[in-house]
Amino acid sequence: MGNWKPLFASVCIGMALLGCTSKEMPKKEAEQESEGEIQQISWVKEPFAAYETDPIALYDKGFLVNDGNREGFINAKGDLLLAMKYKFQACFMDDAYGVMEGGDGDLKYLSQLLHVEGYDQGCWTGIIGPQTSYYVDDQGENVYAIRYDMNTSAYVEEKTDLETICADIKADAFFLPVNLKITGEEDGEDSRTEEGFVLVTKGKLHSETVYEAVHMKERVYRPHMALEALNAVKKDGKWAIMDKAGKLISDFAYAAADVLNDTYVKVEKKPYIGLYTKDRKEYLYEGIESITAPSQRVVFAKQNDLWGLMKLTE
């Protein structure tokens, strides 16, 4: 395991917006009618700001927002904490984060200000992932390990067994990619491709079902993925929700699914967008363009190009 290192804004924001463990994106489909109950929107604060990107949670109650040129912070009520005049630069373990006013000049630390305002210290940090990746072949019979050799700067592949993989991952349920290929690129980044994912639960490989893609809240790609509280899986072009034990808790009914956190999954049933919750409830809304939940207590919805704060209707 490597040392904790700072993440720069472009990486943080990019990961937060993508958040996918698979490179496959949902395909466009013909318009379809939703069979779910359509909810009426209930606003905590009606749409009030046109942000360039989805609000991103950096602190327990603080959200990074971007107007296309500069960044600022708002609280859970939508009030501006820090003016939209900063260029977010870096996030460190010792000092919560740094900004450059106007995008120029020396790096300034504003963690003290947020601490005074009552916010917990913390930030996104990066961990260098495990040196070993695992995958299963397309027959569902053999499993392999891919290790990065520091001496030769190359990847070495060898056959292994499921017992060894389970002992390394230390999770009751996880996904294994099918026919994983890792190729080193000139820019230093690795190129990873796979032909789907299979589920492993309590040491059993469920190779009878190959999912086209999986989506989890974890922002860092992991070659083998321990299931989280909520997970999205794709089969035959449709998405469903799966719990931490590997049990499907919804039908394959969604054109798209994006796990936001341990409480909410953003789902799409054309022409509606909504949320699927940890309580196994579906909320679909008419007339909104997007929805996101950067924390488990705050939900933003976009209507007429403006973001507002909403609450779920029971």
Side-chain angles (χ1 to χ4, degrees):
M1 187 68 71
N3 296 325
W4 291 86
K5 294 186 176 181
L7 281 185
F8 289 91
S10 59
V11 178
C12 288
I13 295 172
M15 286 181 175
L17 296 178
L18 294 177
C20 284
T21 56
S22 171
K23 298 179 180 178
E24 182 176 358
M25 297 298 290
K27 297 178 181 179
K28 293 290 185 182
E29 299 180 5
E31 291 295 323
Q32 62 192 38
E33 290 295 328
S34 167
E35 299 178 355
E37 181 179 352
I38 308 306
Q39 306 289 330
Q40 296 296 318
I41 298 177
S42 179
W43 296 104
V44 174
K45 184 175 183 178
E46 293 188 359
F48 61 94
Y51 299 130
E52 184 74 11
T53 57
D54 292 6
I56 302 170
L58 290 184
Y59 294 86
D60 185 37
K61 298 178 182 178
F63 304 94
L64 176 69
V65 290
N66 183 308
D67 66 0
N69 295 306
R70 298 287 182 263
E71 284 84 25
F73 283 88
I74 61 175
N75 63 15
K77 297 180 180 180
D79 302 324
L80 199 62
L81 285 178
L82 295 178
M84 307 286 287
K85 63 179 182 179
Y86 297 101
K87 184 65 177 177
F88 184 77
Q89 289 294 314
C91 186
F92 300 95
M93 284 294 291
D94 51 355
D95 281 293
Y97 68 96
V99 298
M100 286 184 180
E101 186 170 347
D104 300 313
D106 295 331
L107 192 67
K108 300 177 181 179
Y109 297 99
L110 299 179
S111 58
Q112 183 178 0
L113 174 60
L114 286 182
H115 179 71
V116 172
E117 294 288 341
Y119 290 88
D120 296 333
Q121 297 302 299
C123 65
W124 286 334
T125 53
I127 303 177
I128 297 176
Q131 297 282 317
T132 304
S133 301
Y134 301 104
Y135 75 90
V136 59
D137 65 15
D138 55 9
Q139 301 300 312
E141 298 176 355
N142 302 304
V143 289
Y144 297 86
I146 302 178
R147 295 184 175 87
Y148 184 75
D149 190 326
M150 300 292 289
N151 295 321
T152 61
S153 298
Y155 289 97
V156 178
E157 181 177 315
E158 62 184 14
K159 191 173 181 180
T160 186
D161 57 77
L162 195 58
E163 184 178 356
T164 298
I165 297 175
C166 291
D168 184 22
I169 298 176
K170 298 180 177 64
D172 289 337
F174 57 90
F175 291 110
L176 278 180
V178 177
N179 285 347
L180 174 67
K181 301 299 180 186
I182 306 178
T183 304
E185 303 292 342
E186 292 182 358
D187 59 4
E189 297 292 330
D190 292 333
S191 173
R192 296 172 181 263
T193 60
E194 66 280 318
E195 299 174 8
F197 298 86
V198 296
L199 181 66
V200 177
T201 60
K202 296 184 177 179
K204 180 180 179 181
L205 181 67
H206 301 275
S207 57
E208 67 278 5
T209 301
V210 177
Y211 298 107
E212 299 162 26
V214 299
H215 193 284
M216 310 167 83
K217 71 179 177 62
E218 177 62 55
R219 297 183 175 91
V220 179
Y221 180 90
R222 294 163 297 167
H224 38 73
M225 296 157 289
L227 269 67
E228 297 165 342
L230 293 171
N231 313 269
V233 292
K234 185 181 182 184
K235 187 177 72 170
D236 299 328
K238 292 290 187 179
W239 291 82
I241 313 303
M242 181 179 287
D243 67 13
K244 190 172 184 177
K247 178 182 178 182
L248 289 172
I249 57 176
S250 83
D251 295 330
F252 284 90
Y254 301 109
D258 182 1
V259 180
L260 302 174
N261 51 50
D262 288 342
T263 300
Y264 300 118
V265 181
K266 175 184 175 181
V267 293
E268 180 180 346
K269 272 188 178 180
K270 294 183 177 179
Y272 307 112
I273 293 174
L275 295 172
Y276 191 92
T277 75
K278 66 177 182 180
D279 298 325
R280 304 187 183 186
K281 294 181 180 180
E282 176 190 82
Y283 298 89
L284 297 176
Y285 299 93
E286 187 175 19
I288 62 173
E289 299 140 27
S290 186
I291 193 169
T292 189
S295 84
Q296 298 186 56
R297 295 183 296 279
V298 179
V299 178
F300 289 87
K302 190 176 185 180
Q303 187 178 68
N304 298 323
D305 293 327
L306 298 177
W307 285 96
L309 284 159
M310 65 175 291
K311 61 181 177 181
L312 295 182
T313 53
E314 297 296 338

